[in-house]
Amino acid sequence: MPGIVIVGAQWGDEGKGKATDQLGDRVDYCVRYSGGNNAGHTIHVGDQKYVMHLLPSGILNPGVTPVLGNGVVIDLDVLYTELDELAERGAEVSHPLISSNAHVITEFHRTLDKVTERFLGKAKIGTTGRGVGPAYADKVNRVGIRIQDLFDESILRRKVEASLEQKNHLLVKVYNRRAIEPDEIADHLLSFVDRLRPHVADTSRVVNDALDQDKVVLFEGAQAHHLDVDHGTYPYVTSSNPIAAGACVGAGVGPTRIDRVIGIAKAYTTRVGSGPFPTELFDEDGDKLREIGAEFGATTGRPRRCGWFDALVVESAAKANGFTDVFLTKLDCLTGWDKIPVCVAYEVNGVRHDVMPYSQTDFHHATPVYEFLDGWTEDISGCRTFDELPANTQAYVKRLEELIGCRISGIGVGPGREQSILVHDLL
């Protein structure tokens, strides 16, 4: 049985939660392997809307064991707020597993994230201010606090003190902020110990044992390929590796355990925060896409930047991640346009690029070359098979397949759990 990775093919917010949820009743484990609560998954079940920032989307399926892997950075306040809110709404949430090696986001990480971003001024990255970047920085600098540290109070207090010894100098002398008391941080973290203990495990072994037992394991990445710290549009990226290969590191499994890689792409393109975006729209079409698609961040509420589908961006992700399938979301949002532009190349200083340029400078100056496809006016939200789609809609999907070099196996035609078309089985 397969190990399946779900990866965003653009700059995040593609609808990975919907795609993950679609597979949920056929999946035994849903493993989040990167990022923190700087991500947001929105899932519609009937008339209910669920927004999760840290928990894997599969938590809404009672038969699925949700896992937060070692590659995730965890804000315990957010974790238990989400769990409590879901429980209040009647969801069964007593079963998540948390890696003992996952790192913890503290109040001083959140503070540093916010003051650093303000200090950068016009050069700001566009972070969510959730402390994710500083927590990953501590991890790489080997001064991070891990989940397992909370179960040894003396170690925890020593780590907090050592970490704040340097950070307090920075806060006070550079950013003119008050120093943070180590005991405040340690005491707050220790308050979670009793609730946390039953959920902590060697999740790498749990997941590998599940695969050995022919269980279906879904690895869910946060953000997307082009926000990857190594492969994205650096420096306007996240602080982790949401690419498919990141699942191996962030969940503790070998590459031979991955059987399918499903890329999630919107039928158009959005981006939050700073950074280059060749097909971005600044006109009525951009406003219309934002309104129809409800393009506001699930975590921050920030309006998303909107633009037409960029085939070079998705093709690049498909190549680097080894997509076996693509799930195309929000196709219904394109209903009503007479012609729909699709970016098929860039022009940079008079030179045509048919693939995404490796140079950030070239990408920043890229002008999209568009191919105009016929639009449709029919309501497609009730379609449940590919053949039910209007001819022009089918042609749009088929042309995208040609441009990105990967088959489109699933299509989202509305926000509801049931509003999907499966062209090919994803399992």
Side-chain angles (χ1 to χ4, degrees):
M1 298 296 289
I4 306 166
V5 184
I6 283 189
V7 181
Q10 295 154 317
W11 282 288
D13 309 308
E14 300 94 348
K16 293 181 290 297
K18 177 180 175 65
T20 301
D21 192 58
Q22 287 291 311
L23 294 165
D25 59 355
R26 303 168 67 189
V27 170
D28 299 297
Y29 288 77
C30 185
V31 184
R32 173 84 178 271
Y33 62 84
S34 69
N37 58 298
N38 55 338
H41 296 312
T42 303
I43 299 172
H44 294 263
V45 182
D47 61 352
Q48 296 293 308
K49 176 181 175 181
Y50 296 87
V51 179
M52 286 164 288
H53 309 283
L54 186 57
L55 292 167
S57 303
I59 197 166
L60 291 179
N61 294 283
V64 174
T65 299
V67 178
L68 293 176
N70 58 275
V72 180
V73 287
I74 300 174
D75 185 322
L76 293 170
D77 290 288
V78 172
L79 174 65
Y80 284 107
T81 296
E82 287 191 14
L83 287 170
D84 290 343
E85 288 178 352
L86 288 173
E88 288 173 6
R89 297 177 66 178
E92 172 55 53
V93 293
S94 62
H95 55 304
L97 296 179
I98 301 169
S99 171
S100 62
N101 289 337
H103 281 246
V104 177
I105 296 175
T106 71
E107 177 60 32
F108 60 75
H109 293 125
R110 292 191 293 269
T111 299
L112 282 168
D113 200 356
K114 292 171 185 175
V115 298
T116 302
E117 186 77 348
R118 284 198 293 269
F119 188 79
L120 288 172
K122 292 182 179 180
K124 66 182 181 180
I125 305 300
T127 76
T128 60
R130 297 320 198 250
V132 172
Y136 275 116
D138 276 2
K139 175 180 177 177
V140 174
N141 286 329
R142 293 164 291 183
V143 294
I145 297 166
R146 300 195 294 178
I147 288 290
Q148 60 181 278
D149 296 331
L150 274 64
F151 303 116
D152 189 322
E153 183 174 346
S154 63
I155 286 179
L156 176 65
R157 292 191 182 278
R158 286 202 303 271
K159 282 195 168 187
V160 172
E161 288 175 5
S163 188
L164 279 175
E165 185 175 356
Q166 179 194 54
K167 292 178 177 64
N168 273 334
H169 284 292
L170 187 64
L171 286 170
V172 173
K173 297 176 181 177
V174 177
Y175 298 122
N176 197 30
R177 298 291 294 263
R178 74 170 182 86
I180 296 174
E181 291 295 327
D183 284 343
E184 290 179 14
I185 301 297
D187 290 345
H188 184 65
L189 293 177
L190 289 168
S191 70
F192 292 101
V193 166
D194 290 339
R195 282 193 79 178
L196 190 60
R197 195 182 300 276
H199 300 291
V200 177
D202 179 353
T203 55
S204 172
R205 179 165 291 277
V206 169
V207 172
N208 278 287
D209 286 347
L211 290 166
D212 289 341
Q213 296 162 16
D214 291 334
K215 304 291 186 181
V216 177
V217 178
L218 184 66
F219 300 91
E220 177 186 298
Q223 288 91 31
H225 172 86
H226 292 286
L227 291 176
D228 186 277
V229 69
D230 287 294
H231 300 279
T233 49
Y234 190 89
Y236 305 102
V237 292
T238 192
S239 304
S240 60
N241 292 113
I243 61 169
C248 297
V249 178
V253 299
T256 56
R257 311 312 300 261
I258 306 301
D259 301 289
R260 305 287 287 275
V261 180
I262 302 171
I264 315 299
K266 271 180 186 162
Y268 49 100
T269 310
T270 63
R271 180 166 195 171
V272 171
S274 305
F277 182 178
T279 66
E280 183 172 8
L281 294 168
F282 301 95
D283 57 11
E284 292 180 358
D285 284 336
D287 294 337
K288 183 177 176 181
L289 280 173
R290 187 176 301 107
E291 181 179 351
I292 293 173
E295 296 296 351
F296 298 90
T299 296
T300 64
R302 290 184 292 182
R304 295 179 185 135
R305 301 156 63 190
C306 296
W308 300 119
F309 187 88
D310 189 329
L312 281 71
V313 163
V314 179
E315 188 275 341
S316 173
K319 184 77 70 176
N321 289 276
F323 290 163
T324 56
D325 306 86
V326 165
F327 193 109
L328 188 70
T329 64
K330 291 198 169 184
L331 185 60
D332 55 300
C333 294
L334 294 182
T335 299
W337 270 274
D338 180 49
K339 294 287 185 179
I340 303 175
V342 174
C343 177
V344 298
Y346 301 140
E347 185 177 285
V348 183
N349 298 323
V351 178
R352 181 183 171 108
H353 291 250
D354 292 309
V355 297
M356 193 170 171
Y358 69 85
S359 165
Q360 183 78 352
T361 300
D362 285 347
F363 186 63
H364 185 78
H365 292 97
T367 300
V369 176
Y370 286 117
E371 181 177 309
F372 294 86
L373 303 180
D374 292 330
W376 60 90
T377 58
E378 300 91 334
D379 180 6
I380 65 172
S381 62
C383 296
R384 296 296 177 267
T385 67
F386 188 76
D387 291 339
E388 292 178 56
L389 293 171
N392 286 351
T393 316
Q394 293 184 30
Y396 182 82
V397 173
K398 291 176 180 176
R399 181 58 178 144
L400 296 193
E401 279 188 325
E402 294 172 356
L403 291 167
I404 66 178
C406 183
R407 71 179 187 178
I408 294 174
S409 296
I411 301 168
V413 293
R417 173 181 270 183
E418 76 287 352
Q419 290 180 293
S420 295
I421 295 170
L422 284 182
V423 185
H424 306 285
D425 195 356
L426 294 173
L427 283 180

